[in-house]
Amino acid sequence: MTYCLGIKTRDGLIGLSDGRITSGTQLSSARKVTMMGADGDRFFILNSGLRSVRDKTLAYLRRDMARRRGESFATMLDAVTAFSQCLRQVSAEDKEALEASKLHFNLHAIIGGQLAEDDEPGMYLIYPEGNWIEVDERTPYLSIGATAYGKPILDRALKYDTDMSTALKIAYLSFDSTRYSSNDVGFPIDMVSYDRAGRAWRQTNFDYDDLVEQRLWWNRNITDLVRRMPDGPWVETLVPEALRQKD
């Protein structure tokens, strides 16, 4: 299992992926975000699913991009189409053998960027069959892997007009909620951002000890918020008077 998150706001794009890899009882880490292209014509790919399918699909995409002799994709739609074609080729070659071995052909991908002919950044979720959906302003994020635990804070707090600094906090908290509830998701995390105004990419990574302050602050304050929440109508019926909170 994994957790990958892509966010699109008015300021640009954010990508986050955990780095935990589990195989039976074995635990390791690996990068699940890949930057493709060169110079200003770059885009990111986040993946969940079988590592062998991911690596072969990306290898085919790199080969096809190299055959373009330095010519970049004109739009993100072109890039997504090329990735989908590579994924379908891998499916045709490997899916039957994988399923015979009781392995699921389950590669999902989030692809985001802004290329030369794009009016704005774009972000897409590609399914194992090669079809896709595009993020929109009403729900400005896409996630793959163990998505259930990090979804509530995204739905409650993230909007298209959320500034990038706040969106990065929400992205981290979405991962932290997932990490806390799923043994298959964990540090290190890789984060990437695209500044729409400056058309610039930035990338970094963090391990468990790098984010102690943020983790402790959130745990302390979310507990305090629960205590400060107004009592519900259940108190008079369910809580003995001696146990009720006093102001």
Side-chain angles (χ1 to χ4, degrees):
M1 189 59 72
T2 190
Y3 184 65
C4 294
L5 171 67
I7 292 174
K8 177 182 175 180
T9 70
R10 67 185 183 196
D11 295 333
L13 303 175
I14 292 170
L16 179 150
S17 66
D18 84 307
R20 178 166 291 182
I21 299 292
T22 56
S23 179
T25 60
Q26 295 184 349
L27 181 66
S28 60
S29 63
R31 189 180 299 274
K32 301 172 188 174
V33 56
T34 303
M35 297 299 302
M36 303 293 288
D39 301 325
D41 293 318
R42 303 173 72 200
F43 56 95
F44 71 74
I45 303 177
L46 306 170
N47 294 107
S48 72
L50 284 174
R51 186 69 185 272
S52 61
V53 175
R54 166 197 181 272
D55 287 355
K56 189 172 182 179
T57 303
L58 291 180
Y60 281 6
L61 181 61
R62 290 190 182 97
R63 179 196 62 189
D64 293 351
M65 291 175 68
R67 288 175 175 172
R68 299 174 65 87
R69 300 173 183 257
E71 180 184 347
S72 301
F73 296 116
T75 67
M76 283 303 303
L77 181 58
D78 295 325
V80 168
T81 299
F83 180 89
S84 297
Q85 290 171 344
C86 293
L87 180 58
R88 287 175 175 144
Q89 181 179 351
V90 175
S91 176
E93 294 171 355
D94 295 350
K95 184 176 181 179
E96 183 177 351
L98 288 170
E99 291 184 345
S101 300
K102 308 300 182 184
L103 296 172
H104 297 294
F105 192 91
N106 60 352
L107 188 74
H108 291 74
I110 298 173
I111 300 181
Q114 182 176 10
L115 300 180
E117 295 182 15
D118 289 321
D119 295 330
E120 61 177 309
M123 191 165 61
Y124 303 79
L125 169 60
I126 296 88
Y127 295 99
E129 296 78 13
N131 57 322
W132 50 263
I133 61 172
E134 185 177 6
V135 73
D136 62 35
E137 294 184 7
R138 292 170 295 175
T139 308
Y141 73 89
L142 298 167
S143 58
I144 52 178
T147 59
Y149 306 111
K151 181 176 172 60
I153 192 167
L154 292 166
D155 289 339
R156 288 175 180 269
L158 182 67
K159 308 297 180 188
Y160 179 74
D161 60 358
T162 300
D163 64 272
M164 183 170 286
S165 293
T166 303
L168 283 164
K169 293 178 183 178
I170 296 170
Y172 164 72
L173 291 174
S174 177
F175 156 77
D176 191 64
S177 298
T178 306
R179 173 196 67 84
Y180 200 85
S181 299
S182 174
N183 290 331
D184 293 332
V185 173
F187 286 96
I189 58 173
D190 292 289
M191 302 180 76
V192 59
S193 70
Y194 175 74
D195 168 28
R196 178 178 181 176
R199 296 184 75 101
W201 287 98
R202 294 172 175 83
Q203 188 172 4
T204 189
N205 62 81
F206 301 102
D207 215 329
Y208 184 85
D209 292 338
D210 297 324
L211 299 173
V212 172
E213 180 183 1
Q214 290 73 23
R215 185 165 55 253
L216 294 178
W217 185 95
W218 178 247
N219 291 344
R220 182 174 62 252
N221 281 275
I222 196 171
T223 302
D224 182 56
L225 280 172
V226 172
R227 292 194 183 102
R228 291 163 50 194
M229 180 180 175
D231 287 337
W234 52 78
V235 170
E236 291 185 3
T237 303
L238 300 177
V239 181
E241 186 171 356
L243 299 180
R244 295 176 190 174
Q245 278 188 332
K246 307 299 182 183
D247 294 331

